[in-house]
Amino acid sequence: MLKILKLGGSIITDKSRLATARLDQISRIAHELSGIEDLIVVHGAGSFGHIHARNFGLPERFSGEGLLKTHLSVSELNRIVVEALHDAGVDALPVHPLSNVVLRDGRIHLMSTEVITEMLRRGMTPVLHGDVAMDVSRGAGIVSGDQIVSYLARALRAGMVAMGTDVDGIMIDGRVLSCITPERMHSIEPHLLPAKGVDVTGGMRGKLAELVRLAEIGIDSRIFNAGGSGNVRRALSGERLGTLITGREHGDGPQEA
Ligand code: IPE
């Protein structure tokens, strides 16, 4: 069963300091991933992408230099993540969305998945990331890790989607919702807080929108706290932690919102 894990930028970087990786967290998570097969990792940009993107006015303003600087920065974070995985015994390989994604109006229009499926077939773990990308209608844009997860989950029919963040799930009034269905979104949306620090891809609101799209076509996902020791492994082994986003009733506890 194909598993897709997103590691939010807030968990693997210090979002308040330009290009600062949280090496302890990255290494811990890398060790939790050792031995897990059939896995795609997609990580966010955190302070490696959002700050550059904002400084260059992306995605509203086209800037070749902004694209390059932002891409090089997230690629640097990707290198750190891939190396940590390698050190933990995971056969990881980088895949850069700038080189295999085309956007249209900010959404993924084309993405070649062959390189990813070929890596998986050889027992490798592809590691993608939020990135800048060319956009056929707008010149260029930003493709969030969340959008990549949603696209790949749909294209490759993932059996599990786990979204590691720095919060315990979707929270309303200090309580974690165990389950969200697309029908419930309108009552939840007004309660979602804006992202901490600089975020050019919509924070939790953007994330939920992607996951609701998946739920609508029958692919469930889970938002959980990847900061807790062991949580990444637990989420990938199907434990019920955080918030499940699903199109069906799951008997996953009462809906609290
Ligand atoms: C953003 O990716 C990509 C760039 C800013 C270039 P994400 O939206 O996936 O990053 P995080 O998880 O919010 O940091």
Side-chain angles (χ1 to χ4, degrees):
M1 176 186 65
L2 176 64
K3 298 170 278 301
I4 303 182
L5 170 69
K6 162 90 195 279
L7 295 173
S10 53
I11 209 79
I12 59 170
T13 78
D14 178 345
K15 277 191 104 161
S16 63
R17 290 160 195 248
L18 183 66
T20 306
R22 294 170 72 186
L23 298 174
D24 50 339
Q25 293 283 357
I26 295 173
S27 163
R28 174 187 57 78
I29 291 170
H31 282 91
E32 290 187 29
L33 293 180
S34 118
I36 297 184
E37 288 169 5
D38 234 353
L39 174 71
I40 298 174
V41 176
V42 181
H43 64 79
S47 59
F48 284 75
H50 289 283
I51 297 176
H52 289 91
R54 189 209 39 200
N55 289 347
F56 284 98
L58 294 171
E60 287 78 19
R61 208 170 63 82
F62 187 93
S63 157
E65 189 189 3
L67 290 173
L68 176 64
K69 291 278 165 62
T70 309
H71 173 73
L72 289 179
S73 185
V74 286
S75 297
E76 167 64 10
L77 179 61
N78 182 256
R79 192 186 60 75
I80 293 170
V81 173
V82 169
E83 280 187 3
L85 285 165
H86 175 80
D87 291 348
V90 179
D91 277 333
L93 280 175
V95 177
H96 301 295
L98 174 60
S99 310
N100 77 345
V101 166
V102 177
L103 304 176
R104 180 188 292 277
D105 285 329
R107 304 287 309 165
I108 297 176
H109 169 54
L110 293 170
M111 178 173 189
S112 72
T113 53
E114 284 79 2
V115 68
I116 295 167
T117 50
E118 206 50 39
M119 286 174 185
L120 290 168
R121 205 162 70 83
R122 301 280 171 186
M124 310 293 294
T125 300
V127 185
L128 295 91
H129 52 88
D131 203 350
V132 289
M134 301 312 289
D135 187 311
V136 288
S137 47
R138 300 179 184 171
I142 289 177
V143 57
S144 70
D146 296 346
Q147 196 188 149
I148 292 168
V149 167
S150 154
Y151 184 93
L152 289 178
R154 181 185 299 246
L156 306 177
R157 296 307 300 183
M160 172 174 297
V161 175
M163 310 293 283
T165 68
D166 63 346
V167 290
D168 290 339
I170 301 295
M171 314 253 268
I172 292 188
D173 298 333
R175 284 197 312 155
V176 178
L177 301 184
S178 62
C179 180
I180 293 178
T181 56
E183 298 75 47
R184 294 236 153 201
M185 270 307 283
H186 62 277
S187 59
I188 288 159
E189 245 174 348
H191 297 273
L192 299 175
L193 300 172
K196 281 174 263 160
V198 182
D199 193 312
V200 293
T201 51
M204 197 53 95
R205 224 168 270 248
K207 186 185 302 299
L208 256 190
E210 295 296 345
L211 300 179
V212 163
R213 282 192 190 99
L214 279 184
E216 282 167 346
I217 59 159
I219 300 176
D220 293 354
S221 57
R222 205 169 266 291
I223 296 178
F224 70 100
N225 193 337
S229 176
N231 278 0
V232 168
R233 217 177 161 88
R234 289 171 62 208
L236 289 175
S237 47
E239 271 188 50
R240 294 177 176 182
L241 69 169
T243 304
L244 177 74
I245 295 92
T246 179
R248 300 159 283 163
E249 293 298 333
H250 260 251
D252 193 55
Q255 297 214 342
E256 292 154 19

CSV table of all heavy atoms in Angstrom, one decimal, residues 6-13 15 42-54 58 70-71 74 77 129-133 141-148 164 195 198-204 207, ligand 1:
chain,number,residue,atom,x,y,z
A,6,LYS,N,3.5,13.9,4.5
A,6,LYS,CA,4.0,15.3,4.4
A,6,LYS,C,4.6,15.7,5.7
A,6,LYS,O,4.0,15.5,6.8
A,6,LYS,CB,2.8,16.2,4.1
A,6,LYS,CG,3.0,17.7,4.3
A,6,LYS,CD,3.5,18.5,3.2
A,6,LYS,CE,4.1,19.8,3.5
A,6,LYS,NZ,3.1,20.9,3.7
A,7,LEU,N,5.7,16.3,5.6
A,7,LEU,CA,6.4,16.9,6.8
A,7,LEU,C,6.3,18.4,6.6
A,7,LEU,O,6.9,19.0,5.7
A,7,LEU,CB,7.8,16.5,6.9
A,7,LEU,CG,8.0,15.0,7.1
A,7,LEU,CD1,9.5,14.6,7.0
A,7,LEU,CD2,7.4,14.6,8.5
A,8,GLY,N,5.5,19.0,7.5
A,8,GLY,CA,5.3,20.5,7.4
A,8,GLY,C,6.5,21.3,7.7
A,8,GLY,O,7.4,20.9,8.5
A,9,GLY,N,6.6,22.4,7.0
A,9,GLY,CA,7.8,23.3,7.2
A,9,GLY,C,8.0,23.7,8.6
A,9,GLY,O,9.1,24.0,9.1
A,10,SER,N,6.8,23.8,9.3
A,10,SER,CA,6.9,24.3,10.7
A,10,SER,C,7.5,23.2,11.6
A,10,SER,O,8.0,23.6,12.7
A,10,SER,CB,5.5,24.6,11.2
A,10,SER,OG,4.6,23.5,11.0
A,11,ILE,N,7.6,22.0,11.2
A,11,ILE,CA,8.2,21.0,12.1
A,11,ILE,C,9.6,20.7,11.8
A,11,ILE,O,10.4,20.4,12.6
A,11,ILE,CB,7.3,19.6,12.0
A,11,ILE,CG1,7.4,18.9,13.3
A,11,ILE,CG2,7.7,18.7,10.8
A,11,ILE,CD1,6.5,19.4,14.3
A,12,ILE,N,10.0,20.9,10.5
A,12,ILE,CA,11.4,20.7,10.2
A,12,ILE,C,12.3,21.9,10.1
A,12,ILE,O,13.5,21.8,9.8
A,12,ILE,CB,11.5,19.8,8.9
A,12,ILE,CG1,10.9,20.5,7.7
A,12,ILE,CG2,10.9,18.4,9.1
A,12,ILE,CD1,11.2,19.8,6.4
A,13,THR,N,11.6,23.1,10.2
A,13,THR,CA,12.4,24.3,10.2
A,13,THR,C,11.9,25.2,11.3
A,13,THR,O,10.8,25.1,11.8
A,13,THR,CB,12.3,25.1,8.9
A,13,THR,OG1,11.1,25.8,8.8
A,13,THR,CG2,12.4,24.2,7.7
A,15,LYS,N,10.4,28.5,11.6
A,15,LYS,CA,9.8,29.4,10.7
A,15,LYS,C,10.1,30.9,10.9
A,15,LYS,O,9.9,31.7,10.0
A,15,LYS,CB,8.3,29.2,10.6
A,15,LYS,CG,7.9,28.0,9.7
A,15,LYS,CD,6.4,27.9,9.4
A,15,LYS,CE,6.1,28.3,8.0
A,15,LYS,NZ,4.8,27.9,7.5
A,42,VAL,N,7.0,14.1,1.3
A,42,VAL,CA,6.9,15.4,0.7
A,42,VAL,C,7.1,16.4,1.9
A,42,VAL,O,6.3,16.3,2.9
A,42,VAL,CB,5.5,15.7,0.0
A,42,VAL,CG1,5.4,17.1,-0.6
A,42,VAL,CG2,5.2,14.6,-1.0
A,43,HIS,N,8.0,17.3,1.7
A,43,HIS,CA,8.2,18.2,2.9
A,43,HIS,C,7.9,19.7,2.4
A,43,HIS,O,8.0,20.0,1.3
A,43,HIS,CB,9.6,18.1,3.5
A,43,HIS,CG,10.7,18.5,2.6
A,43,HIS,ND1,11.1,19.8,2.4
A,43,HIS,CD2,11.6,17.7,2.0
A,43,HIS,CE1,12.2,19.8,1.6
A,43,HIS,NE2,12.5,18.5,1.3
A,44,GLY,N,7.6,20.5,3.4
A,44,GLY,CA,7.3,21.9,3.2
A,44,GLY,C,8.6,22.7,3.1
A,44,GLY,O,9.7,22.1,3.2
A,45,ALA,N,8.4,24.0,3.0
A,45,ALA,CA,9.5,24.8,2.8
A,45,ALA,C,9.9,25.6,4.1
A,45,ALA,O,11.1,25.9,4.4
A,45,ALA,CB,9.2,25.9,1.8
A,46,GLY,N,8.9,25.8,5.0
A,46,GLY,CA,9.2,26.6,6.2
A,46,GLY,C,10.0,27.8,5.9
A,46,GLY,O,9.7,28.5,4.9
A,47,SER,N,11.0,28.1,6.7
A,47,SER,CA,11.8,29.3,6.5
A,47,SER,C,12.8,29.2,5.4
A,47,SER,O,13.6,30.2,5.1
A,47,SER,CB,12.5,29.7,7.8
A,47,SER,OG,13.4,28.6,8.2
A,48,PHE,N,12.8,28.1,4.6
A,48,PHE,CA,13.6,28.0,3.5
A,48,PHE,C,13.0,28.5,2.2
A,48,PHE,O,13.6,28.6,1.1
A,48,PHE,CB,14.1,26.6,3.2
A,48,PHE,CG,15.2,26.1,4.2
A,48,PHE,CD1,14.9,25.9,5.5
A,48,PHE,CD2,16.5,26.1,3.7
A,48,PHE,CE1,15.9,25.5,6.4
A,48,PHE,CE2,17.5,25.7,4.6
A,48,PHE,CZ,17.2,25.4,5.9
A,49,GLY,N,11.6,28.7,2.2
A,49,GLY,CA,11.0,29.1,1.0
A,49,GLY,C,10.1,30.3,1.1
A,49,GLY,O,10.1,31.2,0.3
A,50,HIS,N,9.3,30.2,2.2
A,50,HIS,CA,8.3,31.3,2.3
A,50,HIS,C,8.9,32.7,2.4
A,50,HIS,O,8.3,33.6,1.9
A,50,HIS,CB,7.4,31.0,3.6
A,50,HIS,CG,6.5,29.8,3.4
A,50,HIS,ND1,5.4,29.8,2.7
A,50,HIS,CD2,6.6,28.5,3.8
A,50,HIS,CE1,4.8,28.6,2.7
A,50,HIS,NE2,5.5,27.8,3.4
A,51,ILE,N,10.0,32.8,3.2
A,51,ILE,CA,10.6,34.1,3.4
A,51,ILE,C,11.1,34.7,2.1
A,51,ILE,O,10.9,35.8,1.7
A,51,ILE,CB,11.6,34.1,4.5
A,51,ILE,CG1,10.9,33.7,5.8
A,51,ILE,CG2,12.3,35.5,4.7
A,51,ILE,CD1,11.8,33.6,7.0
A,52,HIS,N,11.9,33.8,1.3
A,52,HIS,CA,12.4,34.3,0.0
A,52,HIS,C,11.2,34.6,-0.9
A,52,HIS,O,11.2,35.7,-1.6
A,52,HIS,CB,13.2,33.2,-0.7
A,52,HIS,CG,14.5,32.9,0.0
A,52,HIS,ND1,14.6,31.9,1.0
A,52,HIS,CD2,15.7,33.4,-0.2
A,52,HIS,CE1,15.9,31.9,1.3
A,52,HIS,NE2,16.6,32.8,0.7
A,53,ALA,N,10.2,33.8,-1.0
A,53,ALA,CA,9.1,34.0,-1.9
A,53,ALA,C,8.4,35.3,-1.5
A,53,ALA,O,8.2,36.1,-2.4
A,53,ALA,CB,8.1,32.8,-1.7
A,54,ARG,N,8.2,35.6,-0.3
A,54,ARG,CA,7.6,36.9,0.1
A,54,ARG,C,8.5,38.0,-0.2
A,54,ARG,O,8.0,39.0,-0.8
A,54,ARG,CB,7.3,36.9,1.6
A,54,ARG,CG,6.4,38.1,2.0
A,54,ARG,CD,6.6,38.6,3.4
A,54,ARG,NE,8.0,38.6,3.9
A,54,ARG,CZ,8.3,38.6,5.1
A,54,ARG,NH1,7.3,38.6,6.0
A,54,ARG,NH2,9.5,38.6,5.5
A,58,LEU,N,6.7,36.8,-4.8
A,58,LEU,CA,6.1,35.6,-5.4
A,58,LEU,C,4.8,35.3,-4.6
A,58,LEU,O,4.8,35.4,-3.4
A,58,LEU,CB,7.1,34.5,-5.4
A,58,LEU,CG,8.3,34.6,-6.3
A,58,LEU,CD1,9.3,33.5,-6.0
A,58,LEU,CD2,8.0,34.7,-7.7
A,70,THR,N,14.4,31.2,-4.4
A,70,THR,CA,13.5,30.4,-3.6
A,70,THR,C,13.7,28.9,-3.8
A,70,THR,O,13.8,28.1,-2.9
A,70,THR,CB,12.0,30.7,-3.9
A,70,THR,OG1,11.9,32.2,-3.9
A,70,THR,CG2,11.0,30.1,-3.0
A,71,HIS,N,13.9,28.5,-5.1
A,71,HIS,CA,14.1,27.1,-5.4
A,71,HIS,C,15.4,26.6,-4.8
A,71,HIS,O,15.4,25.5,-4.2
A,71,HIS,CB,14.2,26.9,-6.9
A,71,HIS,CG,14.6,25.5,-7.3
A,71,HIS,ND1,13.7,24.4,-7.1
A,71,HIS,CD2,15.7,25.0,-7.7
A,71,HIS,CE1,14.4,23.3,-7.4
A,71,HIS,NE2,15.6,23.6,-7.8
A,74,VAL,N,14.8,26.0,-1.0
A,74,VAL,CA,14.0,24.8,-0.6
A,74,VAL,C,14.8,23.5,-1.0
A,74,VAL,O,14.7,22.5,-0.4
A,74,VAL,CB,12.6,24.7,-1.2
A,74,VAL,CG1,11.7,25.6,-0.5
A,74,VAL,CG2,12.5,25.0,-2.7
A,77,LEU,N,17.1,22.7,1.8
A,77,LEU,CA,16.4,21.9,2.8
A,77,LEU,C,16.1,20.5,2.4
A,77,LEU,O,16.3,19.6,3.2
A,77,LEU,CB,15.0,22.6,3.1
A,77,LEU,CG,14.1,22.0,4.2
A,77,LEU,CD1,14.8,21.9,5.5
A,77,LEU,CD2,12.8,22.7,4.3
A,129,HIS,N,9.2,18.2,-2.4
A,129,HIS,CA,9.0,19.4,-1.5
A,129,HIS,C,8.2,20.5,-2.1
A,129,HIS,O,8.0,20.5,-3.4
A,129,HIS,CB,10.4,19.9,-1.2
A,129,HIS,CG,11.2,20.3,-2.3
A,129,HIS,ND1,11.2,21.5,-3.0
A,129,HIS,CD2,12.1,19.5,-3.0
A,129,HIS,CE1,12.1,21.4,-4.0
A,129,HIS,NE2,12.6,20.3,-4.1
A,130,GLY,N,7.6,21.4,-1.3
A,130,GLY,CA,7.0,22.5,-1.9
A,130,GLY,C,8.0,23.3,-2.6
A,130,GLY,O,9.2,23.4,-2.2
A,131,ASP,N,7.6,23.9,-3.8
A,131,ASP,CA,8.6,24.5,-4.6
A,131,ASP,C,8.0,25.7,-5.4
A,131,ASP,O,6.7,25.9,-5.4
A,131,ASP,CB,9.1,23.4,-5.6
A,131,ASP,CG,10.5,23.7,-6.2
A,131,ASP,OD1,11.0,24.8,-6.0
A,131,ASP,OD2,11.1,22.8,-6.8
A,132,VAL,N,8.8,26.4,-6.2
A,132,VAL,CA,8.3,27.3,-7.2
A,132,VAL,C,8.1,26.4,-8.5
A,132,VAL,O,8.7,25.4,-8.6
A,132,VAL,CB,9.3,28.4,-7.5
A,132,VAL,CG1,9.3,29.4,-6.3
A,132,VAL,CG2,10.7,27.9,-7.8
A,133,ALA,N,7.2,26.9,-9.4
A,133,ALA,CA,7.0,26.1,-10.6
A,133,ALA,C,6.5,27.1,-11.7
A,133,ALA,O,6.0,28.1,-11.4
A,133,ALA,CB,6.0,25.0,-10.4
A,141,GLY,N,4.5,30.3,-10.3
A,141,GLY,CA,3.7,30.2,-9.1
A,141,GLY,C,4.4,29.4,-8.0
A,141,GLY,O,5.6,29.0,-8.2
A,142,ILE,N,3.7,29.1,-7.0
A,142,ILE,CA,4.2,28.3,-5.9
A,142,ILE,C,3.4,27.0,-5.8
A,142,ILE,O,2.1,27.2,-5.7
A,142,ILE,CB,4.3,29.1,-4.6
A,142,ILE,CG1,5.4,30.1,-4.7
A,142,ILE,CG2,4.6,28.1,-3.4
A,142,ILE,CD1,5.6,31.0,-3.6
A,143,VAL,N,4.0,25.9,-5.8
A,143,VAL,CA,3.3,24.7,-5.6
A,143,VAL,C,3.6,24.2,-4.1
A,143,VAL,O,4.7,23.9,-3.8
A,143,VAL,CB,3.6,23.6,-6.7
A,143,VAL,CG1,5.0,23.3,-6.8
A,143,VAL,CG2,2.8,22.4,-6.5
A,144,SER,N,2.5,24.1,-3.3
A,144,SER,CA,2.7,23.7,-1.9
A,144,SER,C,2.9,22.2,-1.8
A,144,SER,O,2.5,21.5,-2.7
A,144,SER,CB,1.5,24.2,-1.1
A,144,SER,OG,0.4,23.4,-1.4
A,145,GLY,N,3.6,21.8,-0.8
A,145,GLY,CA,3.8,20.4,-0.5
A,145,GLY,C,2.4,19.7,-0.4
A,145,GLY,O,2.2,18.6,-0.9
A,146,ASP,N,1.4,20.5,0.1
A,146,ASP,CA,0.1,19.9,0.3
A,146,ASP,C,-0.6,19.6,-1.0
A,146,ASP,O,-1.2,18.6,-1.2
A,146,ASP,CB,-0.8,20.9,1.1
A,146,ASP,CG,-0.3,21.1,2.5
A,146,ASP,OD1,0.5,20.3,3.0
A,146,ASP,OD2,-0.7,22.1,3.2
A,147,GLN,N,-0.4,20.6,-2.0
A,147,GLN,CA,-1.0,20.3,-3.3
A,147,GLN,C,-0.3,19.1,-4.0
A,147,GLN,O,-0.9,18.3,-4.7
A,147,GLN,CB,-0.8,21.6,-4.2
A,147,GLN,CG,-1.8,21.5,-5.4
A,147,GLN,CD,-1.6,22.6,-6.4
A,147,GLN,OE1,-1.8,22.4,-7.6
A,147,GLN,NE2,-1.2,23.8,-6.0
A,148,ILE,N,1.0,19.0,-3.8
A,148,ILE,CA,1.7,17.8,-4.4
A,148,ILE,C,1.2,16.5,-3.7
A,148,ILE,O,0.9,15.6,-4.5
A,148,ILE,CB,3.2,18.0,-4.1
A,148,ILE,CG1,3.8,19.2,-4.9
A,148,ILE,CG2,4.0,16.7,-4.5
A,148,ILE,CD1,5.2,19.6,-4.6
A,164,GLY,N,2.0,15.5,8.6
A,164,GLY,CA,2.7,15.9,9.9
A,164,GLY,C,2.8,17.4,10.0
A,164,GLY,O,3.4,18.0,9.2
A,195,ALA,N,-1.8,30.9,9.8
A,195,ALA,CA,-0.5,30.3,10.1
A,195,ALA,C,0.4,31.2,10.9
A,195,ALA,O,0.4,32.5,10.7
A,195,ALA,CB,0.2,29.9,8.8
A,198,VAL,N,5.7,33.5,8.3
A,198,VAL,CA,5.4,33.8,7.0
A,198,VAL,C,4.9,32.5,6.2
A,198,VAL,O,5.6,31.5,6.2
A,198,VAL,CB,6.6,34.4,6.3
A,198,VAL,CG1,6.3,34.8,4.8
A,198,VAL,CG2,7.2,35.6,7.0
A,199,ASP,N,3.7,32.6,5.6
A,199,ASP,CA,3.2,31.5,4.9
A,199,ASP,C,2.5,31.9,3.6
A,199,ASP,O,1.5,32.6,3.7
A,199,ASP,CB,2.2,30.7,5.8
A,199,ASP,CG,1.9,29.3,5.2
A,199,ASP,OD1,1.6,29.3,4.0
A,199,ASP,OD2,1.9,28.4,6.0
A,200,VAL,N,3.1,31.6,2.4
A,200,VAL,CA,2.5,32.0,1.2
A,200,VAL,C,1.6,31.0,0.5
A,200,VAL,O,1.1,31.2,-0.6
A,200,VAL,CB,3.6,32.5,0.2
A,200,VAL,CG1,4.4,33.7,0.6
A,200,VAL,CG2,4.5,31.3,-0.1
A,201,THR,N,1.3,29.9,1.2
A,201,THR,CA,0.5,28.9,0.6
A,201,THR,C,-0.8,28.5,1.4
A,201,THR,O,-1.4,27.5,1.2
A,201,THR,CB,1.3,27.6,0.3
A,201,THR,OG1,1.9,27.2,1.5
A,201,THR,CG2,2.2,27.7,-0.8
A,202,GLY,N,-1.2,29.4,2.3
A,202,GLY,CA,-2.5,29.3,2.8
A,202,GLY,C,-2.6,28.5,4.2
A,202,GLY,O,-3.7,28.3,4.7
A,203,GLY,N,-1.5,28.1,4.8
A,203,GLY,CA,-1.6,27.6,6.1
A,203,GLY,C,-2.6,26.4,6.2
A,203,GLY,O,-2.7,25.6,5.3
A,204,MET,N,-3.2,26.3,7.4
A,204,MET,CA,-4.1,25.2,7.7
A,204,MET,C,-5.3,25.2,6.8
A,204,MET,O,-5.8,24.1,6.4
A,204,MET,CB,-4.5,25.2,9.1
A,204,MET,CG,-5.1,24.0,9.7
A,204,MET,SD,-4.0,22.5,9.4
A,204,MET,CE,-3.2,22.3,10.9
A,207,LYS,N,-4.3,23.7,3.5
A,207,LYS,CA,-4.1,22.2,3.7
A,207,LYS,C,-5.4,21.5,3.8
A,207,LYS,O,-5.6,20.5,3.0
A,207,LYS,CB,-3.3,22.0,5.1
A,207,LYS,CG,-2.9,20.6,5.3
A,207,LYS,CD,-2.3,20.4,6.7
A,207,LYS,CE,-1.1,21.3,7.0
A,207,LYS,NZ,0.0,21.0,6.1
B,1,IPE,C1,5.8,26.1,0.1
B,1,IPE,O1,5.6,24.8,0.5
B,1,IPE,C2,6.8,26.3,-1.0
B,1,IPE,C3,7.5,27.6,-1.1
B,1,IPE,C4,7.2,28.6,-0.4
B,1,IPE,C5,8.5,27.7,-2.2
B,1,IPE,P1,4.6,24.4,1.6
B,1,IPE,O2,3.4,25.3,1.6
B,1,IPE,O3,4.4,22.9,1.5
B,1,IPE,O4,5.5,24.6,2.9
B,1,IPE,P2,5.1,24.6,4.5
B,1,IPE,O5,4.8,23.2,4.9
B,1,IPE,O6,3.9,25.5,4.6
B,1,IPE,O7,6.3,25.2,5.1
